[in-house]
Amino acid sequence: AMVRMTDRADYRPNQLSGGQQQRVALARALVIRPKCLLLDEPLSNLDAKLRLEMRTEIRRICKQSGLTAIYVTHDQKEALSIADRLAILDKGSIQQLGTPQEVYRNPRTRFVAHFIGETNFVEATVRSVTSGQILLETPMGPVLSTTTPPTAVNAGDRVHLSLRPEVIHLGLKPSPEVENVFDATVSDSIYLGEMAQHTVHVGPQVSLKVFDLNPKIVAHDDEVAAVKIWFRPANVVVLKE
């Protein structure tokens, strides 16, 4: 009943779908009432729709059972959607440990920022550090950040900025009060209906991936659209390593 398979209790294995077989395997692990459950890429053989369904089910079952589960996966969205806490491993060492929101929004290293989700890296030099603000020089122009770097930075340091594609706004007329505004061009768009994935060029040196929800501007093939882009200082992550 816990894995919602009572109506299939008398079925043979070859009469069950892949997702149903995964539920049975989970039930067989739970029936001995373990204190901890290790799941090593349990959804890797399922199709995309079943993976989404089983993510929710595994979390529900573990919560309902009061069970600690260690879930190993290379699928970042799977990890973000299931976990209470994430441990990012590289060559056997923990690079960062925290909630999904902490790890995604405040990565401590370039490896973590790149591994969890998608991001844009922009090289920068620290121009000044004041209380709660870092002013940076980049190939795009001056950028302001109000995030606290995981490693202390000083004027003159070479750093990388991590900008998630969804934090970059794109349009023709940003509000007067917004900061970090740049002239840009859109040269390539993948239109997905509710969202478009743009390649945006800021000057000759910087290309950014931008996720635009409910897109109004789309550039196909050889089209080029002149736009403004902007992003909040609170979304500029400064990484020294």
Side-chain angles (χ1 to χ4, degrees):
M2 183 180 292
V3 296
R4 297 177 180 174
M5 286 288 291
T6 52
D7 62 331
R8 296 288 191 274
D10 296 326
Y11 281 50
R12 294 182 177 277
N14 62 4
Q15 295 175 302
L16 301 176
S17 69
Q20 291 167 344
Q21 291 181 29
Q22 288 291 85
R23 288 169 188 260
V24 172
L26 195 55
R28 293 175 68 182
L30 292 170
V31 75
I32 62 171
R33 300 187 181 279
K35 293 182 179 178
C36 184
L37 190 65
L38 172 62
L39 301 167
D40 188 1
E41 306 234 28
L43 308 183
S44 57
N45 293 326
L46 301 184
D47 63 35
K49 186 176 180 180
L50 278 175
R51 286 173 75 99
L52 289 173
E53 178 186 325
M54 286 303 297
R55 282 183 201 171
T56 306
E57 282 297 282
I58 288 174
R59 181 174 171 84
R60 177 189 66 80
I61 291 164
C62 290
K63 288 292 185 181
Q64 185 178 324
S65 306
L67 186 65
T68 297
I70 300 172
Y71 191 108
V72 181
T73 180
H74 285 85
D75 187 318
Q76 294 93 336
K77 286 187 169 55
E78 202 167 278
L80 290 167
S81 64
I82 289 178
D84 292 318
R85 290 196 303 163
L86 289 179
I88 309 301
L89 293 165
D90 181 34
K91 299 176 182 175
S93 298
I94 294 178
Q95 300 297 307
Q96 187 166 347
L97 178 67
T99 67
Q101 295 91 334
E102 288 169 349
V103 174
Y104 185 82
R105 293 185 59 82
N106 300 294
R108 298 189 60 83
T109 65
R110 287 188 65 195
F111 175 83
V112 174
H114 177 71
F115 185 78
I116 289 291
E118 297 191 57
T119 195
N120 299 287
F121 289 115
V122 179
E123 293 185 354
T125 302
V126 178
R127 182 188 290 180
S128 64
V129 181
T130 56
S131 178
Q133 292 189 338
I134 304 173
L135 184 61
L136 303 120
E137 191 60 51
T138 78
M140 300 187 295
V143 171
L144 182 66
S145 172
T146 56
T147 63
T148 301
T151 305
V153 297
N154 301 293
D157 286 349
R158 296 287 296 169
V159 296
H160 286 88
L161 309 184
S162 172
L163 292 168
R164 299 288 189 189
E166 69 273 13
V167 306
I168 303 172
H169 301 280
L170 179 149
L172 299 176
K173 293 183 179 180
S175 302
E177 68 274 10
V178 301
E179 299 177 275
N180 295 330
V181 181
F182 302 95
D183 293 316
T185 56
V186 178
S187 64
D188 186 34
S189 301
I190 301 173
Y191 182 70
L192 301 173
E194 78 281 2
M195 183 182 76
Q197 298 178 3
H198 303 292
T199 300
V200 175
H201 303 279
V202 188
Q205 298 184 51
V206 179
S207 294
L208 303 172
K209 180 179 284 188
V210 178
F211 295 163
D212 186 19
L213 198 62
N214 190 21
K216 304 294 190 300
I217 299 169
V218 178
H220 286 305
D221 302 322
D222 296 327
E223 295 176 345
V224 175
V227 297
K228 298 276 190 182
I229 64 164
W230 62 95
F231 41 88
R232 295 173 55 215
N235 290 324
V236 180
V237 179
V238 180
L239 298 173
K240 201 170 182 179
E241 53 179 304

